[in-house]
Amino acid sequence: MLANYHTHTWRCNHAEPDERAYIEAAIAAGIRILGFADHTPCPFPDGHTSYFRMSLAQSGDYFATIRRLRDEYAGQIEIYAGVEAEYYPDLFPALVDHLRQQGCEYMLLGQHFLLNEEDGIYNGRPTTDEKRLIQYVDQVIEGLSTGRFTYLAHPDLLLLEGNEPAYRLHMRRLCRAARKMDIPLELNLLGLREGRHYPRRAFWELAAAEGNRVVLGVDAHQPEALCRPDIEATARRFLADLGLTPEDAVPLIPIRS
């Protein structure tokens, strides 16, 4: 594996320390490009405290730590400091401003919630409600349309059950929009490692039919996740069976004004 852009840190409250251990594991695995994309801080106007992301107060330390380690490991591995972010429309401009001030280098879109996490619904929760799928696809497409995101993480997170025609209809729309915008879709290795409901074959059949670009994302919450050639091989076989080949590396979309 040449590159992984989806690496978390302890600040998200559900990943292991420390950053150096992830870097050492990546080097041992032969990874040449390592992107840290921890769950972004978010400027909630009411002071909401998220249980799964770093706080605004931790932003400076996060980006400074990654930059310091990048300098320390120069010549051994390329390191980038980014975030995995949701698209919450009302909060997005303030989020981008904050990340730009912190020197964030790229954003991944990982849409964990409809609307937002304060009054929305977690997308990985099983549902038979087609309206939730429609809302997910609409929100993801709107987020991708901002031009801010390098790729779409775990695009098949939304778990619709019992209505395969509706799933294919709306997820095809997502795949087509991503292809039109030339934005890669992530085959998420965490889902494979833990036997989650994603990667979902029905989704990736659509991606293959639409000719989407694909990238592997380790979604590492433990350093050892970066040293799993068996999981990588399983992912590549899964994609090859559908006629898809993941890209070794992708250009990062910088945070622009």
Side-chain angles (χ1 to χ4, degrees):
M1 191 171 189
L2 174 65
N4 173 59
Y5 303 98
H6 197 165
T7 312
H8 291 279
T9 78
W10 58 270
R11 296 171 189 82
C12 70
N13 303 309
H14 59 280
E16 294 181 10
D18 58 273
E19 296 88 351
R20 185 183 301 279
Y22 290 88
I23 295 169
E24 295 285 353
I27 292 172
I31 293 173
R32 294 165 55 188
I33 302 170
L34 183 66
F36 284 90
D38 208 355
H39 291 284
T40 187
C42 192
F44 294 103
D46 60 358
H48 168 73
T49 299
S50 175
Y51 67 90
F52 75 99
R53 66 177 74 253
M54 75 177 85
S55 67
L56 290 171
Q58 292 175 309
S59 298
D61 175 69
Y62 170 68
F63 289 106
T65 297
I66 303 307
R67 286 192 290 265
R68 174 174 52 79
L69 289 168
R70 173 170 55 202
D71 292 342
E72 181 179 337
Y73 283 90
Q76 299 180 65
I77 189 171
E78 292 181 37
I79 298 174
Y80 295 94
V83 295
E84 180 184 10
E86 289 72 27
Y87 176 68
Y88 299 158
D90 292 342
L91 305 180
F92 196 66
L95 171 61
V96 172
D97 285 344
H98 175 77
L99 294 175
R100 186 187 303 112
Q101 293 169 17
Q102 296 295 328
C104 180
E105 295 177 291
Y106 70 99
M107 301 172 70
L108 306 181
L109 177 57
Q111 195 66 44
H112 299 90
F113 287 85
L114 296 179
L115 299 178
N116 64 66
E117 67 204 62
E118 292 190 86
D119 50 16
I121 302 172
Y122 175 60
N123 288 317
R125 186 180 303 165
T127 183
T128 58
D129 187 354
E130 183 180 354
K131 292 180 181 178
R132 280 180 54 187
L133 174 61
I134 293 171
Q135 188 175 2
Y136 171 78
V137 171
D138 287 346
Q139 193 165 351
V140 166
I141 292 175
E142 184 177 339
L144 295 179
S145 297
T146 65
R148 302 285 187 182
F149 294 101
T150 290
Y151 74 61
L152 175 58
H154 40 64
D156 42 352
L157 175 63
L158 193 289
L159 179 53
L160 184 76
E161 296 182 333
N163 193 343
E164 199 68 14
Y167 185 85
R168 290 181 176 273
L169 173 67
H170 299 297
M171 284 303 203
R172 185 183 299 276
R173 184 161 57 90
L174 187 157
C175 290
R176 285 180 175 172
R179 177 178 53 79
K180 184 176 181 180
M181 290 182 271
D182 199 29
I183 296 175
L185 306 175
E186 177 199 77
L187 192 291
N188 187 272
L189 302 191
L190 174 60
L192 281 177
R193 291 196 307 276
E194 297 191 350
R196 298 185 178 185
H197 64 273
Y198 58 90
R200 183 168 174 170
R201 186 176 179 87
F203 176 88
W204 291 101
E205 288 174 352
L206 296 171
E210 295 299 327
N212 286 100
R213 296 171 60 196
V214 182
V215 62
L216 299 181
V218 175
D219 200 354
H221 290 74
Q222 306 85 25
E224 57 267 26
L226 293 160
C227 301
R228 290 295 303 272
D230 56 327
I231 298 297
E232 179 186 351
T234 298
R236 290 184 181 276
R237 287 194 300 270
F238 176 88
L239 291 172
D241 187 53
L242 297 170
L244 289 167
T245 302
E247 300 180 17
D248 288 330
V250 296
L252 301 179
I253 296 178
I255 307 295
R256 301 184 299 271
S257 60

